[in-house]
Amino acid sequence: VQLQASGGGLVQTGGSLRLSCAASGDTYISYALGWFRQAPGRKREFVASITWNGDSTDYSDSVKGRFRISRDNDKATAYLQMNNLRPEDTAVYYCAADFINLRDPTESVHDYEYWGQGTQVTVSS
């Protein structure tokens, strides 16, 4: 499976963006999906995850209530709707696929086997 993240950009504080993660290749194989982000000089951190069929989601405390993860398996695409953005949300955002923990994806970068290339999100103050 190949993942392609898109939708990043420059936005002011309080603004919104929607990121997309399009899968190609063996998309018939079920996988859970996670969004992670990495700011300069910091470790890659968990943002949100969704089970293989979209029936359960998980969020980091820092984005809970502001971000929403979703997926459309017919389109092999996942989304991250980001509202009320803050300067501390500035980072490169990555989507990743987990082929093992389909019903209970983790928050660990080590559990995701395939990664997209990342899309830059910059929030100005």
Side-chain angles (χ1 to χ4, degrees):
V1 170
Q2 292 80 45
L3 302 175
Q4 177 80 30
S6 62
L10 174 64
V11 65
Q12 291 185 331
T13 296
S16 298
L17 283 173
R18 188 177 81 154
L19 306 184
S20 297
C21 177
S24 60
D26 296 329
T27 58
Y28 61 90
I29 301 174
S30 299
Y31 55 92
L33 190 120
W35 283 98
F36 293 78
R37 66 187 181 186
Q38 187 167 18
R42 302 190 66 175
K43 291 182 178 180
R44 193 168 297 187
E45 65 175 7
F46 170 78
V47 175
S49 66
I50 189 166
T51 54
W52 71 279
N53 62 353
D55 67 348
S56 182
T57 58
D58 183 31
Y59 298 91
S60 69
D61 289 342
S62 61
V63 308
K64 197 171 295 183
R66 300 187 297 123
F67 291 12
R68 189 173 74 90
I69 188 172
S70 61
R71 67 189 299 165
D72 184 339
N73 285 345
D74 290 338
K75 297 180 179 179
T77 302
Y79 306 95
L80 185 68
Q81 176 67 43
M82 306 186 296
N83 300 322
N84 192 20
L85 283 160
R86 305 166 179 168
E88 54 264 38
D89 295 317
T90 295
V92 177
Y93 283 71
Y94 299 89
C95 58
D98 179 355
F99 291 89
I100 297 176
N101 303 298
L102 302 183
R103 299 184 182 276
D104 188 21
T106 75
E107 300 181 2
S108 172
V109 299
H110 302 294
D111 289 332
Y112 291 78
E113 293 85 12
Y114 291 87
W115 291 80
Q117 86 291 356
T119 184
Q120 176 71 47
V121 171
T122 302
V123 184
S124 63
S125 57

